[in-house]
Structures are given as structure tokens and as C-alpha cells.
Amino acid sequence: MALHVPKAPGFAQMLKDGAKHYSGLEEAVFRNIQACKELAQTTRTAYGPNGMNKMVINHLEKLFVTNDAATILRELEVQHPAAKMIVMASHMQEQEVGDGTNFVLVFAGALLELAEELLRMGLSVSEVIEGYEMACKKALEILPDCVCSSAKNLHDLEEATAMIRSAVMSKQYGNEDFLANLIAQACVSIFPESGSFNVDNVRVCKILGCGLNSSTMLHGMVFKKEAEGDVTSVKDAKIAVFSCPFDCTVTETKGTVLIKNADELMNFSKGEEDLMEAQVKAIADSGASVVVTGGKVADMALHYANKYKLMVVRLNSKWDLRRLCKTVGATALPRLTSPTPEEMGRCDSVYLSEVGDTQVVVFKHDKEDGAISTLVIRGSTDNLMDDIERAIDDGVNTFKVLVRDARLCPGAGATEIELAKHITSYGESCPGLEQYAIKKYAEAFEALPRALAENSGVKGNELISKLYATHHEGNKNSGFDIEGEGPAVRDMMEAGILDPYLVKYWGIKLATNAAITVLRVDQIIMAKPAGGPKAPQGKKDWDEDE
Amino acid sequence: MMSTPVILLKEGTDTSQGVPQLVSNINACQVVAEAVRTTLGPRGMDKLVVDNRGKATISNDGATILKLLDVVHPAAKTLVDIARSQDAEVGDGTTSVTLLAAEFLKQLKPYVEEGLHPQTIIRAFRIATQLAVKKIKEIAVTIKKDDKQEQRRLLEKCAATALNSKLIAGQKDFFSKMVVDAVMMLDDLLPLKMIGVKKVQGGALEESQLVAGVAFKKTFSYAGFEMQPKRYMNPKIALLNIELELKAEKDNAEVRVNSMEDYQAIVDAEWNILYDKLEKIHKSGAKVVLSKLPIGDVATQYFAYRNLFCAARVVEENLKRTMMACGGSIQTSVGSLTDDVLGQCELFEEVQVGGERYNFFKGCPKAKTCTIILRGGAEQFMEETDRSLHDAIMIVRRAIKNDSIVAGGGAIEMELSKYLRDYSRTIPGKQQLLIGAYAKALEIIPRQLCDNAGFDATNILNKLRAKHAQGGMWYGVDVNNEDIADNFQACVWEPSIVRINALTAASEAACLILSVDETIKNPRSSVDGPPAAAGRGRGRGRPAHAH
């Protein structure tokens, strides 16, 4: 029998060897706060128009250059359990509104940092939580009062541009006017009268070369593909879409062709060719001039397609095929049959073109009635184009949020200071110990204009005192003027820097929830990671998309 | 309390941030630029790069060198990217773009170290770039398209300027004519693929020739090939995608026979199928048969008896170009070999070029394609010639598409530099210094031209500045006389799009590098894990728009 090794007394005794266990204020709560603070510190310098980019190299050695908090976090692989909560909150924000992910991080980080002070003062965790919850409720009550304007007509290009501008500004400062205009064009053109807007309908196609200012927008879709056959341009095209390969159908069941005599052998390939020709001819006869297929294109089929002057385009992705169907109004056929007029889509022109040195197939509508629009982004490096794509993503999401709720709040710290002002006075009216927590909550709002200022090389304290002063004069729309010298303030209504109401609403709510969840933890138990081989990954189902 | 560090990220994750990080990124870019610096200009030196498989490449082309260098530093990779972008967009000027980006960063380094906010710098740079591009557009000279003679002369000049800095500068007159001829043959879209470049070792550079049509190396052939005629006047050409050999009609077909006679019948049938195909081809009147797939010896001999020529396993690209040149279309079945699917040309012949035999199709009716056959000594030398010609072809294409030009040899950079310096003096604030820095950085091009030629750069630059201040806006470095000259008169011309793209790309890259203040490097995922799992795990975490 092995010698008995006595274990340390206490909780650890009950656990397996190698398990980690932390408890109490010092060990658990403060450590958690520390981790979240560090995380917020990283993304904080990326906040706002003057935020800096981060270079993130993920575990697959792919390089990202971005100041989009959601992307940074996704590639960072945060491991600390508490920090992960904040990351999740920011993911929620991205899924809910698609913008303002950094807002959540910075705000949650500030809340936790200030909570630490409260806890060191001697407040109990539950008192802090109670205070934060009350303050959050109050903040969301006050928030509608901060609304300074609302989008009246989103079909109007100029108005939409102005709305999107501030979202794009925080990602691509200096290019915001150009990009916002492009994005607005794309969004407005596919925004139906019925009022439902799908983010997926604005596509981005990135092509290396030239500069950002050569980017364009067009109605329809662009694929980085070459046409398969000899026909490379069709005007006023009728499009037949097939989700199957452009080939003769093969039996799924394994079988052999049984040939009994010489005649059968002689006629076999002839028969096959005739069948193929008949099929292609039937498609051509139905009036189609473009064939789009989701599978491979057989040589024989292509031969007849060329003969009957059909343009053949091959799309590998099921998603692309589905979107194309939507754009041109076609139904994807699972078998190689001749399409009925209803099943065929139409498009003003389909052509092969060269952008830079990349061959692209363009499906273009002349009028603005397509269901999908595409932004062709040009740029000198892949990283830059990826970052622009993310900026576009944010811009399109902002548009979507505005469709849901047209209210807007002033940006650049104006809303935050206004909220802080109100919550401070609310806190003073509370009798209990939670008063301290409420006041700290108000203080946490200052972190956002402070981050804006510090990223622009301006002293945060100077700016905040100035902002408070103007807000007390009743100027509730004044925020940080990023173009001014030093800590300048400006009316954000005039400057046109507006954030959607929903972004703020969800940002405050999710950040507070995340902070409270982190605070509520007083014990961390980490089991020893299991060794041995990794659990097998389930095989992909055949119908699962990539 | 024992303070154990809080582990936020995965073990092995490397993070670095702040101004030192920025400066180190800038330094890394300098190193990359250093590698291609000496290749700029007519007096630039070539580089010999040996890759990990021991293959040696001699090149003067910035993009090629950078691609072979296999840069791993994340910031420096950006420079490789812009060289690629320049290569894709205009094909030439890849060294200039790398140099410019590095020089921009070099000029800005002191400002960054002093603590100027990078975003301020970026703003200034964007303004400067926009101004510079506007200026180029303003002063560029437009080619008159109506006068064919004039246009041709001009295109030749552009091609010559591009070739000037290459290995084959000595033969630039010869090659610039050839390049312009080649491009002029193409249709309006000017597809690059329609110019084929074939390399045959041996002979002198001047023996290189341009074929108005298609030429490709004799393909693999079976017995009987030598009996076929090798020269036809006005032949019809069949382009096929058919295997002409005894073969199974279908992979999963099975034959069941009951008697000996049936067996013989099946064997005969297989032969008949082949002979049937051959007969159809023969009947169609085609004299030259080209196929993507193999042609066996039965077929080869069949054709030989009937005075047909055949070439099998023709590469798709060559077959396509033959189709473009001679008309007709590629057939996958012999069922409908009518006249309109057969191609035609005036002369087909097989000719010995150096140690290789080449098939020539000349006098094609639709000649929208051409082939350049390069001759030369060493293999590396011909490869570099190929790259140089590619650059020149791209330049000519751009010059036709965007019909405006500027003077090269540092002239346009000096003019922009002067313009921006003048402009900067009219504005107050930090922007003044930054636009001034941009202007200074532009001077790197003439400076490097001088350095590479062994001139006193300071002296020449002073002369240039003086000339430009007096309004001589096309004055640039004269490499032949160690002096300055009006490069517009001297016919050192470049399409303006090359410069516009170079400036935009360089400043975009500089801005990108400046805007990074933190690098976070995750440890590489272990190699033994199933790669599919890694992709999948990431795929799940990504939002829907990533699809």
C-alpha cells in the first residue's frame, strides 16, 4: 500500500489532485475584477475614431489588423472564466445590434474597476450589486429622454448616410464620408417599402489592388469566378439556377451498365450524348441564356452549352447560390430539367469582367429593384480590406437597428455624461448604502468620453469637467469634439454624430448584467483539465453548411 | 498576499503594445525595403534569391523578390501585400511602392517617437495623398487616341521606360516594339491570357520573335507521328476534347456474352467505335487535329495514312488560344463536326526552334492572340526576361486603357514634392509638418535612382529642386549623363495610373502600420489535432455574415 500523503486541510481536501480552488473576496472577486480590467484595457485604446488598431495573430497564424472589439475578442481566445463573461456580453451585443461591442467592454470594465473600490471601502458585494441594479434601471428610464432626433425617412439617401456616418467613423476615420455614402446607397436600394431589412442582403466583394476610393457599389451580385464556357456576356439574361451538377444524373445506388451485344456497345455513348444534348437543348429552348450550377460542369454538358450559346457559371457555395436565386428571382432546381418561366430568374446583364487582375462574374441590375446589392471593395492589402469589410458590417447593422427603432441619441460621450449627471442626483436621493454604488455607476459612464479623449491625446479629466459644465447649463447634446484642439466640446446634433438608441440601450443593459454576474461569483473551482486525446469531433452532416 | 499573475489569455500568447511596438513595426518595414532598395531604376542591381528547394531566381522585380523572401513579420507583411497589389493592378512599379511606403514610415518615425498621436498623422497623410493624386491627374498628359501613329509612338515609349530598369534594358528598343505589337493585336478587353510567352533555351535575345497567332511546343506523340506532313496551307483545324484510343465506353459498364461469336463482335465493336470517330474527323475535312486528351498510336497512324496532322495532350490554355485565333470551337463529341466548328488558318507548320520543335499557326483570321517566343542563354535569364516583358505588357495595357501619362525618372515625384511643400506652408498646425514629411518622403525615388547609379544624390536633388521651383515640372534624373534632364522631352514616360496606384497603396500601407499599437500573437494550434476541427471550431463562433 502506498504511503498516505496527507492533503491540505479544508476544501481542497475534497477535490482531486490538480484542481484549483479560489474563494473569498481577495482570492476570487478581486482576481476576477483584475482580469476583466486588463481585458477592457486592451480594447479601450481601440475605442472611438481615434482608437488604435490591434494586430492579432490567431492560432492559425492568420493576421488581423482591426479596431473592432468583437473581432479582437473572437481571435484572442480569452481563457480567464470571468473575463469570458464580459466577452460573452459583447457577443450578445453584436448579435443583438451589431455595433457598440467596445462600448460594452469599456463600460463593464469601468463598472468592475469602481466596484473594487467600493468593496475595499467595506461595502458588501450584495450592496454593490443592488446599487448597480437600481442605477441601471434608472439609466434605462432616463435614456429615452436623451433621444435627440429620430430618422424620419430611411429611404432617403442623404439621411441614411448621415445616420451611418458615425458608426463608420469609429472604424475608418478619414474615410467615413466616402464609405457611409456607399453603404447608404447599398442599404437604401435594397430596403423594401414593407420595412423589413436583412443584413445579409448587402454583400461585400474584396478585390486586391488600387485604393479604397475606387470602391464601387452595384445592384446585383459579384462573384470571384470565371465563366465556364465560351459565352462571357449576356444582356437581358434569363437565368436558370441548378443546385445539382451540370452533368447527366448518376445513380446513387451502385450499379453497372450491362451490355449484352455489340450493337448496344456501339450505341451506348451515342445515346448518352443525345440525352445530354436533349437536356441542354430543352434548357436553351425554354428561353434561358445563363445557367448557374452548384456543382461541377461536365465537359460534354459544356460542349452543348457552348453550342446553344448558354453562359455557364459555377458557384461552389450553397449560400451564394441561394442569394443569387434571391437576387434574380429564380428557383433553384435540384434536377437538370428545363425550367418553367416562373422558375427562371432575370437580370439586366451578366458579364465577365476584369477588376485589377481578378476575373469576376457580375450579375447586374440596371434599376434599383434587386433584392441584393454588392459593395466591391478595393484596397492595397488584404488586412485593410478585411477591416473595411467590418466597418461596412457595422454600418449596415446600424441601418438595420434604425429600421427597428428610429430613435437616435447624441454620440461622442454626450449621452453618457447626461446619464451620469442624472444618476448622480438620483443616487443622492437614495437613503441606503446603495447610494455609494449608484454614484459609482454614474462615474463609470465617464469612462467612455474619457477613453475617447485619451485616445485622441487629450487629458480626460479636463474634458469631463468641461462636459459636466456644459451639461449643467442644460446643453444636453454636447459631446467631445474630436476635430477640435484640446478638450473642446460641441453640440453633437449639429455635428451629426448620432448613435442609435438601441445600441445604447442594449449596451448599458448587457454591460451591467455582465458586471453583476462577475461580482456575484465568490468561489472559483477549476477542475484539472483532462489529459489524453481530444474528444472526437462529430462528423459534419451532409446538409450542414460550412 | 501572494500575488499570482492573473492569466487572462492562453498560455504562450505573446502581447506587445505601445509606442515601442509601433517603432519596432516601422523598423521591420525598413528592413524589408532595404532588400529591394537597390533594384530601383535603370542602374539598379538584380537579386539572386535561392528558395528552400534550392531553386535560384534572378530578378529585378520588387514583387517577385518580396514574394520569394517569405516575410513572417506581421507588419512587414503589409509591404509585401502592397507590392502584390501594385503587381495586380498595374504590373509595374512594385519596387517604387515598397520604397515609398518604407520612406513614409521613416520620415514619420521621429514624430511618433515624440508622441504625436498616430491618428493625427494618418489624417494628414490621407489629405496629402488625395492632393497628390489630384495633382497627378491635373498635370498628366493625355494620349491622343485618334492618331494611331502618335499613340503607338507613345506606347512604345512607355514600354521602353518600363524595360529600362530591367535586365534586358540593352534590347529595349527591340522588345518595346514587340510588346506594343503584341498588345495591339488583342481585342478591346486586352486579355493578358491571350499573349502567350514561350521560352526556348539557346540562341540570342534578338532571335526572339512575335508570332501573330499561336505557337506551342510539339506535344508527346506516338509511333507514326513522323510520317505525318508537317506543313499545310489553309488547313482546317479540329479542336477536340476526346480521347482517340480504344477505351471503355463507361467506367462501370459490364459486358456479358454467351458465345464466342458475340465476344468477337464486342471486340470488333470497340474497334469500330474508334474507327468511326476517326472516320468522322477525316470526313469533316480537318487537316490538323488537336486534342486535350491522348491520341493513341492507332489513331496517329490512321491520320498519317490520310495526310492529317495530329497533336495530343495539348494544354488547355494553348487549345483555347488556338480557338481564339483560328475560330471554331472545342468539341467533346465527333457527332457534329461541321464546318463552323472547325478553325482555319493560312499556314500551319512545325518548325525547329533551338532544340525544340514548335507548332505554328500563322495568318489566323481572327488573330486576337499572339505568342512571343523568347530565346536566350540561361534559364534564370529567360525567366527574368519573361517577368520583364510581363511588366512591359501590363504597362502598355494600362496606357491604352487609361490614356494619360507622366514623366518618369523621379520627375513626377519631385513635382508632387514641390507642390505639397508649397501647400503645407499655407496651413497652420501639426498638419504642416506632416505634409512636409510626406513631401520629403517622395524624394526617395529620385534619390534612390541616383544612389543606384552611383551619383551624388544630394547634388542632383538640389539641382532638381531648383529646376522645379523655376517651373520645369518634368525635370528628372538623367541616368546616362549624371545630370538632370527634361524627362518628358527625353521620352521617359509612364502611365499616370501607375503613379496614382503606387501613391495610394503606399500611403494606405503606411497608415495601416501606424494605426497599430498592439500585437497579440496566439500560440499556433498544435499540428496533430485534426485540421478540420480547428476550422470547425472557429466557424461555429463566427457570426452569420462570415459565411
Side-chain angles (χ1 to χ4, degrees):
Chain A
M1 207 179 112
L3 189 70
H4 176 71
V5 182
K7 277 186 182 170
F11 194 70
Q13 206 174 9
M14 294 181 272
L15 299 173
K16 252 194 201 165
D17 268 345
K20 281 182 226 153
H21 163 245
Y22 310 99
S23 70
L25 212 56
E26 278 298 329
E27 260 193 347
V29 182
F30 287 160
R31 281 174 68 96
N32 284 345
I33 291 175
Q34 178 85 33
C36 297
K37 251 165 63 183
E38 258 180 54
L39 184 68
Q41 205 60 47
T42 298
T43 55
R44 190 182 167 143
T45 47
Y47 185 69
N50 277 347
M52 301 290 284
N53 283 351
K54 311 280 161 201
M55 237 178 214
V56 184
I57 301 158
N58 75 358
H59 64 118
L60 297 167
E61 303 229 308
K62 187 177 183 326
L63 174 67
F64 294 83
V65 180
T66 183
N67 63 3
D68 182 45
T71 313
I72 299 174
L73 291 179
R74 189 165 56 232
E75 303 305 337
L76 265 185
E77 293 184 40
V78 174
Q79 224 186 10
H80 195 278
K84 257 191 185 161
M85 302 229 196
I86 304 197
V87 175
M88 275 184 230
S90 133
H91 277 310
M92 290 284 287
Q93 171 84 356
E94 188 178 11
Q95 273 162 21
E96 196 64 47
V97 282
D99 192 16
T101 44
N102 214 343
F103 175 88
V104 176
L105 277 168
V106 174
F107 188 49
L111 281 177
L112 287 170
E113 197 176 342
L114 293 169
E116 190 183 349
E117 282 178 28
L118 288 173
L119 293 176
R120 289 205 195 275
M121 257 168 62
L123 252 66
S124 74
V125 176
S126 62
E127 278 157 352
V128 176
I129 292 172
E130 198 185 336
Y132 274 9
E133 272 173 349
M134 283 167 72
C136 176
K137 217 171 129 203
K138 186 74 188 166
L140 297 178
E141 264 172 39
I142 305 169
L143 193 60
D145 295 336
C146 293
V147 170
C148 62
S149 80
S150 68
K152 286 161 211 85
N153 180 12
L154 282 172
H155 290 282
D156 182 37
L157 185 62
E158 266 176 40
E159 194 169 339
T161 311
M163 305 292 150
I164 292 172
R165 196 168 154 263
S166 54
V168 178
M169 203 172 184
S170 68
K171 294 289 176 308
Q172 287 290 324
Y173 190 42
N175 295 325
E176 72 272 7
D177 288 322
F178 177 77
L179 275 177
N181 188 15
L182 269 189
I183 299 169
Q185 276 179 31
C187 291
V188 170
S189 72
I190 57 155
F191 181 45
E193 292 297 329
S194 60
S196 69
F197 178 79
N198 189 352
V199 185
D200 203 33
N201 290 348
V202 177
R203 307 300 311 157
V204 173
C205 181
K206 293 169 285 185
I207 298 172
L208 191 69
C210 222
L212 175 63
N213 289 333
S214 313
S215 307
T216 49
M217 195 283 280
L218 58 84
H219 309 289
M221 293 191 78
V222 177
F223 299 103
K224 280 200 246 182
K225 289 265 171 201
E226 284 188 49
E228 299 281 323
D230 298 339
V231 187
T232 53
S233 168
V234 178
K235 286 256 171 248
D236 199 13
K238 289 232 170 98
I239 302 162
V241 183
F242 298 100
S243 54
C244 61
F246 193 42
D247 196 355
C248 52
T249 33
V250 198
T251 48
E252 270 310 314
T253 324
K254 193 174 181 305
T256 50
V257 182
L258 192 59
I259 294 169
K260 290 214 189 68
N261 56 41
D263 283 346
E264 280 180 18
L265 183 61
M266 295 276 281
N267 291 326
F268 182 78
S269 63
K270 182 94 183 71
E272 213 177 31
E273 278 171 30
D274 287 347
L275 193 70
M276 196 70 232
E277 176 160 13
Q279 277 180 343
V280 178
K281 190 166 184 298
I283 295 168
D285 283 347
S286 67
S289 49
V290 178
V291 173
V292 178
T293 168
K296 65 178 205 292
V297 181
D299 283 342
M300 188 64 78
L302 193 60
H303 167 79
Y304 288 114
N306 285 339
K307 186 173 171 185
Y308 291 106
K309 299 271 173 271
L310 288 172
M311 180 171 173
V312 183
V313 180
R314 177 182 166 191
L315 296 178
N316 286 335
S317 153
K318 278 179 231 168
W319 292 90
D320 280 347
L321 205 69
R322 219 174 292 169
R323 287 185 197 114
L324 182 73
C325 283
K326 210 165 156 190
T327 323
V328 300
T331 316
L333 299 169
R335 282 189 58 212
L336 213 57
T337 48
S338 66
T340 59
E342 297 86 62
E343 283 166 341
M344 267 190 292
R346 62 161 301 286
C347 188
D348 289 321
S349 55
V350 181
Y351 57 93
L352 186 70
S353 164
E354 195 195 57
V355 183
D357 67 348
T358 317
Q359 301 275 330
V360 290
V361 175
V362 183
F363 289 80
K364 190 176 171 188
H365 286 282
D366 289 340
K367 291 188 292 291
E368 291 191 4
D369 57 356
I372 285 180
S373 57
T374 304
L375 293 163
V376 179
I377 298 302
R378 308 298 313 276
S380 50
T381 69
D382 293 331
N383 299 321
L384 187 73
M385 287 191 292
D386 286 346
D387 205 30
I388 290 169
E389 187 185 1
R390 285 187 280 270
I392 290 176
D393 214 57
D394 279 5
V396 175
N397 271 311
T398 309
F399 190 84
K400 182 192 84 178
V401 171
L402 286 172
V403 170
R404 272 181 22 208
D405 190 332
R407 281 178 290 177
L408 289 158
C409 301
T415 313
E416 286 81 4
I417 292 294
E418 187 65 16
L419 286 174
K421 191 184 96 185
H422 284 292
I423 290 172
T424 316
S425 52
Y426 166 70
E428 274 158 12
S429 68
C430 290
L433 267 179
E434 63 272 5
Q435 193 195 80
Y436 289 102
I438 295 173
K439 276 185 170 167
K440 284 287 177 200
Y441 191 91
E443 207 183 314
F445 273 116
E446 290 170 12
L448 296 149
R450 192 188 296 273
L452 279 182
E454 276 165 12
N455 288 345
S456 318
V458 174
K459 289 225 167 58
N461 288 335
E462 276 180 43
L463 173 78
I464 286 174
S465 49
K466 258 194 169 177
L467 280 176
Y468 269 126
T470 44
H471 275 261
H472 270 286
E473 283 165 20
N475 220 340
K476 65 178 191 172
N477 290 339
S478 68
F480 174 46
D481 182 12
I482 210 143
E483 275 155 37
E485 286 286 317
V489 293
R490 191 172 173 197
D491 191 323
M492 285 302 130
M493 244 331 249
E494 283 169 20
I497 296 172
L498 303 167
D499 288 338
Y501 168 78
L502 282 184
V503 171
K504 296 271 184 239
Y505 178 85
W506 284 106
I508 293 171
K509 199 164 172 155
L510 290 169
T512 315
N513 277 345
I516 289 174
T517 319
V518 172
L519 284 176
R520 269 192 214 281
V521 174
D522 78 329
Q523 237 180 40
I524 309 172
I525 303 160
M526 284 157 95
K528 191 184 173 192
K534 274 184 189 156
Q537 288 276 338
K539 245 185 88 182
K540 257 193 194 179
D541 254 344
W542 60 273
D543 60 345
E544 213 170 315
D545 285 305
E546 76 269 46
Chain B
M1 179 197 147
M2 189 185 68
S3 68
T4 42
V6 179
I7 303 165
L8 180 64
L9 299 171
K10 233 185 196 171
E11 229 169 298
T13 307
D14 179 25
T15 68
S16 41
Q17 61 175 328
V19 173
Q21 159 74 9
L22 234 169
V23 172
S24 101
N25 278 346
I26 294 179
N27 288 342
C29 294
Q30 302 294 323
V31 176
V32 170
E34 211 56 55
V36 292
R37 183 176 291 272
T38 50
T39 65
L40 187 81
R43 297 288 163 89
M45 305 297 279
D46 290 3
K47 304 278 163 194
L48 192 141
V49 186
V50 183
D51 66 9
N52 51 9
R53 276 173 302 161
K55 188 176 174 288
T57 311
I58 298 176
S59 183
N60 181 288
D61 182 45
T64 313
I65 299 171
L66 289 177
K67 216 181 297 165
L68 289 169
L69 276 183
D70 207 6
V71 176
V72 286
H73 191 282
K77 253 189 191 161
T78 313
L79 289 197
V80 183
D81 272 355
I82 55 169
R84 260 179 56 211
S85 143
Q86 177 83 2
D87 202 27
E89 189 68 23
V90 281
D92 194 26
T94 46
T95 309
S96 325
V97 78
T98 322
L99 265 188
L100 270 177
E103 188 64 19
F104 284 154
L105 290 171
K106 189 176 160 193
Q107 294 293 340
L108 291 176
K109 204 164 111 184
Y111 295 105
V112 175
E113 278 169 344
E114 272 171 26
L116 195 57
H117 198 275
Q119 292 289 357
T120 325
I121 304 178
I122 290 172
R123 266 183 94 73
F125 258 53
R126 288 199 174 131
I127 295 171
T129 312
Q130 276 165 15
L131 283 170
V133 169
K134 221 169 81 193
K135 180 74 180 168
I136 295 183
K137 284 187 178 151
E138 206 176 291
I139 60 176
V141 178
T142 316
I143 302 175
K144 287 179 212 73
K145 265 201 173 162
D146 337 323
D147 189 354
K148 284 282 164 205
Q149 214 82 34
E150 181 77 0
Q151 190 192 12
R152 220 200 123 78
R153 206 173 58 86
L154 204 138
L155 292 176
E156 273 177 30
K157 293 286 182 281
C158 287
T161 310
L163 289 174
N164 224 338
S165 58
K166 309 287 181 194
L167 203 54
I168 49 171
Q171 283 83 15
K172 69 175 178 190
D173 294 334
F174 175 76
F175 279 111
S176 59
K177 242 174 88 68
M178 182 187 271
V179 164
V180 175
D181 277 335
V183 177
M184 289 307 230
M185 271 177 210
L186 303 179
D187 55 6
D188 293 340
L189 261 177
L190 304 175
L192 188 61
K193 271 192 299 188
M194 287 300 138
I195 301 180
V197 179
K198 309 278 161 193
K199 286 162 277 191
V200 186
Q201 220 166 11
L205 262 182
E206 286 83 358
E207 281 170 41
S208 305
Q209 51 175 315
L210 176 74
V211 182
V214 188
F216 51 86
K217 207 165 116 185
K218 180 189 96 73
T219 52
F220 177 80
S221 59
Y222 280 99
F225 176 76
E226 294 311 329
M227 292 180 330
Q228 294 174 349
K230 298 295 184 315
R231 190 183 159 90
Y232 294 98
M233 298 301 283
N234 293 321
K236 283 186 178 153
I237 304 156
L239 306 161
L240 304 174
N241 184 14
I242 308 171
E243 189 176 335
L244 294 173
E245 183 51 278
L246 286 173
K247 66 178 249 261
E249 278 302 301
K250 194 161 175 70
D251 293 338
N252 57 353
E254 192 181 320
V255 178
R256 279 200 196 144
V257 287
N258 299 322
S259 65
M260 192 57 211
E261 289 79 45
D262 282 352
Y263 183 73
Q264 187 59 44
I266 296 278
V267 173
D268 287 346
E270 284 199 336
W271 281 86
N272 280 339
I273 290 171
L274 178 61
Y275 277 121
D276 186 43
K277 281 186 195 162
L278 295 176
E279 198 182 325
K280 274 185 181 153
I281 295 169
H282 175 51
K283 284 249 180 73
S284 72
K287 283 287 174 200
V288 177
V289 181
L290 303 179
S291 176
K292 239 196 276 190
L293 296 172
I295 295 179
D297 40 5
V298 178
T300 312
Q301 280 154 34
Y302 181 97
F303 288 138
Y305 284 131
R306 287 161 184 77
N307 282 334
L308 266 71
F309 174 88
C310 71
R313 297 192 199 167
V314 179
V315 194
E316 167 138 26
E317 181 214 338
N318 287 333
L319 199 66
K320 271 232 164 102
R321 286 184 34 231
T322 314
M323 181 177 92
M324 293 299 286
C326 305
S329 61
I330 299 170
Q331 298 291 306
T332 318
S333 119
V334 287
S336 54
L337 275 179
T338 48
D339 261 0
D340 55 322
V341 297
L342 294 179
Q344 234 175 355
C345 72
E346 270 169 29
L347 173 71
F348 166 81
E349 58 178 344
E350 189 182 286
V351 179
Q352 187 92 11
V353 182
E356 311 275 3
R357 284 157 68 179
Y358 266 75
N359 296 331
F360 283 87
F361 295 82
K362 288 181 183 163
C364 308
K366 288 166 73 180
K368 292 290 183 216
T369 173
C370 58
T371 309
I372 295 172
I373 297 180
L374 283 181
R375 306 298 312 275
E379 193 192 327
Q380 284 96 345
F381 183 74
M382 280 198 301
E383 269 173 25
E384 173 64 6
T385 312
D386 181 10
R387 278 192 291 273
S388 310
L389 284 187
H390 170 260
D391 283 7
I393 290 170
M394 288 297 281
I395 287 285
V396 174
R397 289 177 65 209
R398 290 300 151 193
I400 294 178
K401 277 188 183 171
N402 310 282
D403 49 356
S404 65
I405 52 151
V406 292
I412 182 73
E413 281 82 10
M414 284 309 288
E415 183 60 21
L416 289 174
S417 170
K418 177 201 145 226
Y419 168 70
L420 286 175
R421 203 175 304 119
D422 289 349
Y423 172 80
S424 73
R425 301 218 169 106
T426 63
I427 46 169
K430 294 173 202 152
Q431 308 273 339
Q432 185 190 25
L433 288 172
L434 294 167
I435 294 182
Y438 191 98
K440 182 137 193 289
L442 285 173
E443 286 180 1
I444 183 66
I445 301 283
R447 181 181 292 274
Q448 195 62 44
L449 282 176
C450 293
D451 281 352
N452 287 353
F455 303 160
D456 182 353
T458 321
N459 197 3
I460 297 223
L461 276 180
N462 282 342
K463 280 192 199 169
L464 276 178
R465 280 195 210 104
K467 266 286 174 218
H468 279 266
Q470 288 158 20
M473 71 174 179
W474 295 127
Y475 271 84
V477 183
D478 182 354
V479 187
N480 299 323
N481 302 320
E482 192 171 347
D483 201 356
I484 57 169
D486 188 333
N487 275 349
F488 202 78
Q489 299 294 328
C491 297
V492 183
W493 295 346
E494 279 179 295
S496 57
I497 183 89
V498 177
R499 289 293 138 201
I500 293 178
N501 199 62
L503 277 181
T504 348
S507 84
E508 265 179 22
C511 291
L512 191 72
I513 290 167
L514 277 181
S515 69
V516 174
D517 76 332
E518 184 165 2
T519 307
I520 301 159
K521 193 170 169 159
N522 279 326
R524 218 199 137 99
S525 56
S526 55
V527 193
D528 42 280
R536 175 122 172 82
R538 231 170 55 115
R540 194 184 271 154
R542 292 174 86 87
H545 67 80
H547 285 289

